[in-house]
Amino acid sequence: MNLTVRFKNPLFWAQIALAFFTPILSYFGLTGADITSWPLLGETLIAAMLNPYVCVMIVVSVANALNDPTTKGLSDSSRAMSYVTPA
């Protein structure tokens, strides 16, 4: 994977953030509007990290965000590997 180029792309970071937070909010039946304070956010994140099921769902979700569905396997295409900046 050409992670150096992906790290330069703001959309990549948005996908990773959603891949991390969506399983947490989903499991606890919350929406973004329900997180109204920093302590509540902290408690929710701690509860999520202590739950093996939520951790597995986060890993699966992040793996899906990293995978390029247009290529075979987990690697990027040779063209994508030649990028220096996001195309």
Side-chain angles (χ1 to χ4, degrees):
M1 282 185 231
N2 196 346
L3 292 177
T4 55
V5 173
R6 290 183 190 204
F7 289 160
K8 296 176 187 176
N9 189 344
L11 181 58
F12 169 78
W13 290 110
Q15 287 176 320
I16 293 298
L18 286 171
F20 182 80
F21 286 109
T22 301
I24 294 171
L25 294 175
S26 232
Y27 180 80
F28 291 107
L30 300 171
T31 66
D34 295 328
I35 306 295
T36 56
S37 68
W38 291 109
L40 181 59
L41 175 63
E43 291 169 13
T44 304
L45 291 176
I46 289 170
M49 294 302 111
L50 294 175
N51 186 316
Y53 177 77
V54 176
C55 289
V56 169
M57 290 300 101
I58 291 170
V59 168
V60 168
S61 188
V62 169
N64 284 331
L66 288 173
N67 184 38
D68 179 2
T70 64
T71 60
K72 185 177 179 181
L74 297 176
S75 65
D76 285 336
S77 66
S78 57
R79 180 178 175 202
M81 293 300 290
S82 68
Y83 294 158
V84 177
T85 57

